[in-house]
Amino acid sequence: MSETVGFRVAALQTVSSTSVDDNLKQAAVLVAQAAGQGANLLVLPEYFCLMGQHDRDKVAIREKPGSGPIQDFLAEQAARHGVWLVGGTLPLESPDSERIYNTTLVYDPAGKPVARYDKIHLFGFRKGTEAYDESVSIRPGENTPQTFQTPVGKVGLSICYDLRFPELYRAFGEVSLILVPAAFTYTTGSAHWETLLKARAIENQCYVLAAAQGGKHQNGRRTWGHSMLVDPWGDVIDCLPEGPGVAGGVLDMQRLADVRASLPALAHRVL
């Protein structure tokens, strides 16, 4: 029997508040729940540790790489449950004292850091009275597309607004799984979230696991939620519309191989 049989993944959906301590407690409950259900790889959403009252609140809790309570929490949780834990995003310090990197960190089942990705596409949106500009408090990442190896093959890292830039996903090369921790707004999420996730799965012929913020937050913001697992054919395996919880399923490597064999689009690429 292959070691990849039964590899279960889980997207953890939160409704994060302005309290880091409360958010870490909420995350710990969800990690334990997903691990208890047999999940091998878990993904927290973007900003799982803080949804502040103001854009710059995240700058105040920034950590140095390799040191800090949020990173310690992630490493400890991964080791305690023996899982791959993808830490949504957390604020790491950047060369700009007024801005942070919005960073995904990946920990292996021993609690060791194995991958880092700093968000490169910064969200900007304005419609009526609703407006967002991540560049106020976030510095775009300078690193290249990031992947890491798991028992089910190579996994690609992306964050929220990245979802609108398919060239990033093509740059991963052949991957078994794409991860998308996110905090999509209710407005943009209701319009485009599921469509974009399905598109990334179909065009890259791989699984996509998206962990979202989902609900009305203490700061008044409302996020779309709908954390989900999409298979290589674009079918939604599981979805959690709103509120804290877990969505996921088992990655079927035979299903992935069959899709690629019957429609070898990756091999047919010209450009």
Side-chain angles (χ1 to χ4, degrees):
M1 182 177 290
S2 168
E3 65 175 338
T4 62
V5 171
F7 193 89
R8 179 174 288 275
V9 298
L12 311 183
Q13 185 162 289
T14 64
V15 186
S16 297
S17 72
T18 59
S19 167
V20 174
D21 287 344
D22 288 349
N23 293 330
L24 296 187
K25 289 174 183 175
Q26 178 184 191
V29 169
L30 293 174
V31 169
Q33 179 182 337
Q37 294 169 354
N40 305 102
L41 183 149
L42 289 62
V43 184
L44 285 157
E46 185 178 31
Y47 303 134
F48 82 96
C49 54
L50 183 74
M51 290 286 279
Q53 292 285 2
H54 308 285
D55 283 337
R56 297 188 187 278
D57 288 354
K58 62 179 74 71
V59 179
I61 65 162
R62 65 188 183 274
E63 297 183 357
K64 295 180 182 293
S67 174
I70 302 169
Q71 293 169 85
D72 291 346
F73 166 82
L74 293 169
E76 190 274 333
Q77 288 290 313
R80 172 184 294 186
H81 297 286
V83 295
W84 297 85
L85 182 58
V86 182
T89 69
L90 67 153
L92 292 187
E93 63 178 28
S94 79
D96 184 343
S97 63
E98 298 299 318
R99 297 192 294 172
I100 51 90
Y101 288 127
N102 190 21
T103 300
T104 294
L105 294 176
V106 182
Y107 295 83
D108 71 11
K112 303 298 183 185
V114 294
R116 169 180 171 172
Y117 169 63
D118 301 331
K119 187 177 184 181
I120 60 175
H121 298 108
L122 301 186
F123 180 55
F125 177 78
R126 183 175 298 276
K127 185 176 182 181
T129 60
E130 187 179 8
Y132 304 94
D133 182 2
E134 288 189 324
S135 66
V136 168
S137 58
I138 298 173
R139 180 184 175 113
E142 300 169 358
N143 52 8
T144 56
Q146 297 296 305
T147 63
F148 64 101
Q149 289 291 334
T150 71
V152 289
K154 190 163 68 169
V155 178
L157 294 173
S158 65
I159 300 169
C160 201
Y161 191 47
D162 284 337
L163 197 53
R164 296 181 183 274
F165 301 89
E167 62 272 19
L168 170 64
Y169 299 88
R170 278 293 197 230
F172 291 149
E174 190 172 296
V175 293
S176 301
L177 174 66
I178 287 169
L179 304 178
V180 191
F184 254 60
T185 69
Y186 190 89
T187 302
T188 60
S190 59
H192 302 143
W193 172 249
E194 185 171 333
T195 300
L196 289 169
L197 290 172
K198 287 181 173 181
R200 298 298 85 85
I202 292 166
E203 68 196 8
N204 294 289
Q205 298 189 313
C206 67
Y207 286 90
V208 172
L209 181 67
Q213 296 278 353
K216 189 68 177 291
H217 299 267
Q218 189 178 2
N219 62 8
R221 181 173 172 179
R222 188 179 182 187
T223 47
W224 175 240
H226 292 77
S227 295
M228 66 178 69
L229 176 63
V230 184
D231 84 355
W233 193 247
D235 293 333
V236 176
I237 295 173
D238 193 21
C239 177
L240 176 64
E242 198 169 29
V246 178
V250 175
L251 302 191
D252 183 345
M253 293 298 99
Q254 189 59 54
R255 167 72 164 166
L256 185 148
D258 289 346
V259 166
R260 291 178 175 179
S262 63
L263 180 61
L266 295 178
H268 291 161
R269 289 177 60 201
V270 175
L271 299 179

